[in-house]
Amino acid sequence: MNFPAIAHDSNVVTINVGGRIFQTTKQTLTLGGADSFLSKLATESTRFVDRDPGLFSVLLYILRTGNLPARSSSFDVRDLIEESRYYGIESFLIDSLSNPSQFEAFDLRKSRILPLNGRDPPSTIAPTSNGGGLHVAHGSKITSFDWSLRWKSTVLTNFSAVDSLLEISPGVLAAGATDFPGLQIIDLENGGFVRTTLNWDKVASSTVQAIGSSSEFLFTSFESSRRNSNSIMVYDISTLLPVLELDHCDIYGAGSDSAIPSTKLRWIQSCNLLMVSGSHASPSGVSGHVRFWDARSRNMVCEIRETQDCFADVTVSENLSAVFKVGVTSGEVFYRDLRSLGGKDHSWTCLGEEKKRTLNERKGVGCKIESYGNHVFCSKGNGIELWSEVITGLVGNASRDVLEERVFRKNSFAAVSGENKITGLAFGGSRMFVTRKDQQSIEVWQSPSRGVSM
């Protein structure tokens, strides 16, 4: 019996890599770009490559899906880097390693320690814009780690210590200090050359209290050298030219809270609002503010005045549509729904066990709180609380537009006896970065099932 010949599919490509046969399509290979070795393989008649087949299978999976396969954890990142450069697809490997979708909050493990030169512990840290890499300020120096965390460079700044740090474009940092005037724009690729220094035009020798950014703007919180006035300047992030001024405050009497500078700036993309916060400790207690500004109209949409159990730190989560704080007195985590902004109810909802405490207690001093993805992380001493929302069904005729009670679940990790207190948290790609008091290093946390051997 004669069977009809099966037509050869010209789109299917067979490749022999180190003796192992792979089949894929020309479209997949050409995803690497016209200049990549894989793209050239799609047009060649002889397709034998004398390379490691196991590493090739990982890179082929990345081309197909954009993600790392689970089996990648058995490979060393240096080997994957070398292979990706050989095939001309290193950018795909970078994207897969720094993809936030690879971040698994419930499976984070300490994967590596990044040592720093010198005796100074980190004062502030800033993830790179492409995710996975990190900039670390320690003393007068800034050390930058690339996405693989294998390569680092260090530049010397004019500051005695850097207090605020932000990458505004690849290789370009905005840096400031609370004891040195001006916001410096530093070019890392030119050895730390200061491109320009931005100042609060109305006040000479103003110092930087915080930095933030959106896709359009660079926000900088300035305070006068006499500490009797402060403001937030808004710059065009491309030209660095001043656009407008927000939240200008002056103090006209002792004990006034009006001139508390904002020490944290967060842009809320979904609302087109800038969240600014600042607090001040006095003999009568800790007071502060959380304000939400519409940068384009220069209108303050909402202000939350903090007097009882003022925040030790505050953050905002767009994914969870909420503002979170850790109380300086109680040490507990609280939240407010973003949908309630502008309403009459300015109360916070406690996620833990809210207890009446005296003003002399300071359970939350030094605690840090940050959000990433669908989770909120709060440092407590040498450990971390992880808060996640429990999704519940709607009851009866309830509507999503109606605010209902939300339920959050707490997990704790990273607390190990003998370790120093956590002083900073930052997130980028699939990684969490942790700094500790008096430690000249950075801890890297990530899921062992979603990473590679570092």
Side-chain angles (χ1 to χ4, degrees):
M1 182 180 294
N2 295 324
F3 293 94
I6 299 176
H8 176 67
D9 188 349
S10 61
N11 187 48
V12 176
V13 176
T14 302
I15 306 173
N16 184 334
V17 181
R20 182 174 165 187
I21 303 301
F22 294 87
Q23 283 193 321
T24 185
T25 64
K26 291 182 179 179
Q27 287 91 336
T28 299
L29 293 178
T30 54
L31 286 174
D35 296 330
S36 70
F37 179 63
L38 290 180
S39 184
K40 295 176 182 177
L41 280 177
T43 60
E44 292 182 357
S45 57
T46 302
R47 302 184 179 97
F48 174 79
V49 185
D50 190 17
R51 306 291 290 191
D52 186 288
L55 294 170
F56 180 81
S57 69
V58 172
L59 298 178
L60 187 59
Y61 185 93
I62 292 173
L63 270 183
R64 289 167 171 164
T65 67
N67 297 318
L68 281 170
R71 62 180 180 275
S72 62
S73 58
S74 61
F75 294 97
D76 191 289
V77 69
R78 289 171 293 189
D79 295 331
L80 282 171
I81 292 172
E82 182 179 348
E83 289 299 286
S84 68
R85 289 174 177 170
Y86 176 82
Y87 292 111
I89 57 169
E90 185 181 12
S91 61
F92 285 81
L93 179 62
I94 294 174
D95 290 341
S96 66
L97 283 170
S98 59
N99 191 338
S101 67
Q102 302 286 313
F103 184 81
E104 296 186 0
F106 297 106
D107 193 30
L108 291 177
R109 312 286 175 85
K110 190 189 301 184
S111 63
R112 191 172 180 195
I113 301 292
L114 304 177
L116 300 172
N117 298 327
R119 299 180 178 179
D120 297 301
S123 54
T124 184
I125 52 180
T128 56
S129 56
N130 66 351
L134 187 70
H135 304 289
V136 184
H138 51 116
S140 59
K141 300 180 288 294
I142 298 175
T143 296
S144 301
F145 296 86
D146 74 340
W147 64 273
S148 70
L149 304 180
R150 289 288 177 181
W151 181 87
K152 68 177 181 179
S153 62
T154 301
V155 298
L156 189 65
T157 71
N158 298 323
F159 306 105
S160 57
V162 179
D163 299 302
S164 299
L165 190 65
L166 179 71
E167 183 179 273
I168 58 176
S169 64
V172 180
L173 303 180
T178 58
D179 61 354
F180 196 92
L183 177 72
Q184 295 189 359
I185 307 301
I186 299 175
D187 189 338
L188 296 180
E189 295 183 358
N190 288 324
F193 171 74
V194 179
R195 289 186 178 182
T196 186
T197 300
L198 306 179
N199 293 285
W200 182 16
D201 294 337
K202 297 181 180 180
V203 180
S205 301
S206 53
T207 59
V208 174
Q209 304 299 307
I211 313 171
S213 69
S214 70
S215 59
E216 299 179 67
F217 304 119
L218 172 65
F219 307 100
T220 307
S221 174
F222 286 106
E223 184 180 36
S224 65
S225 58
R226 294 184 179 183
R227 298 186 175 181
N228 60 356
S229 61
N230 59 77
S231 182
I232 296 174
M233 290 296 300
V234 182
Y235 302 92
D236 184 292
I237 201 165
S238 299
T239 64
L240 299 179
L241 295 175
V243 177
L244 54 92
E245 181 180 3
L246 295 175
D247 210 18
H248 184 127
C249 299
D250 295 290
I251 187 169
Y252 293 105
S256 173
D257 293 334
S258 62
I260 297 175
S262 293
T263 54
K264 197 166 191 177
L265 309 178
R266 289 290 184 272
W267 178 253
I268 310 174
Q269 181 65 39
S270 59
C271 304
N272 281 322
L273 296 177
L274 176 67
M275 186 191 80
V276 308
S277 61
S279 61
H280 172 72
S282 67
S284 59
V286 182
S287 59
H289 65 261
V290 182
R291 300 177 183 133
F292 299 85
W293 285 88
D294 185 329
R296 291 180 175 83
S297 67
R298 305 189 189 189
N299 292 326
M300 184 170 65
V301 175
C302 176
E303 179 179 24
I304 305 172
R305 291 184 176 272
E306 291 278 281
T307 52
Q308 295 185 351
D309 202 9
C310 179
F311 59 85
D313 195 14
V314 63
T315 191
V316 63
S317 170
E318 294 196 62
N319 287 26
L320 297 173
S321 190
V323 184
F324 295 86
K325 77 167 186 178
V326 53
V328 70
T329 300
S330 65
E332 297 289 350
V333 175
F334 300 77
Y335 85 93
R336 278 199 62 187
D337 199 297
L338 282 176
R339 293 172 292 176
S340 67
L341 292 181
K344 295 182 180 180
D345 184 12
H346 287 180
S347 61
W348 295 86
T349 301
C350 183
L351 299 186
E353 298 180 0
E354 187 174 10
K355 299 177 182 179
K356 188 174 182 180
R357 301 181 184 276
T358 66
L359 293 177
N360 293 327
E361 289 185 283
R362 293 290 188 269
K363 297 284 187 179
V365 170
C367 292
K368 302 297 180 182
I369 190 166
E370 296 292 346
S371 67
Y372 194 62
N374 295 321
H375 310 281
V376 175
F377 299 80
C378 181
S379 69
K380 295 288 186 72
N382 65 350
I384 297 175
E385 289 182 357
L386 166 62
W387 290 92
S388 306
E389 185 171 17
V390 178
I391 305 300
T392 58
L394 296 177
V395 179
N397 296 321
S399 169
R400 287 292 183 189
D401 296 329
V402 178
L403 297 181
E404 66 269 359
E405 184 177 352
R406 303 170 67 175
V407 179
F408 289 83
R409 181 180 63 186
K410 181 179 75 171
N411 293 79
S412 300
F413 62 97
V416 178
S417 178
E419 286 192 329
N420 292 0
K421 183 176 181 178
I422 293 174
T423 57
L425 298 171
F427 300 84
S430 60
R431 295 162 175 159
M432 175 176 73
F433 302 100
V434 177
T435 62
R436 296 183 184 272
K437 183 179 179 181
D438 298 328
Q439 295 294 310
Q440 293 81 37
S441 60
I442 308 291
E443 295 177 6
V444 183
W445 291 69
Q446 62 187 123
S447 169
S449 63
R450 288 294 186 178
V452 293
S453 176
M454 304 301 292

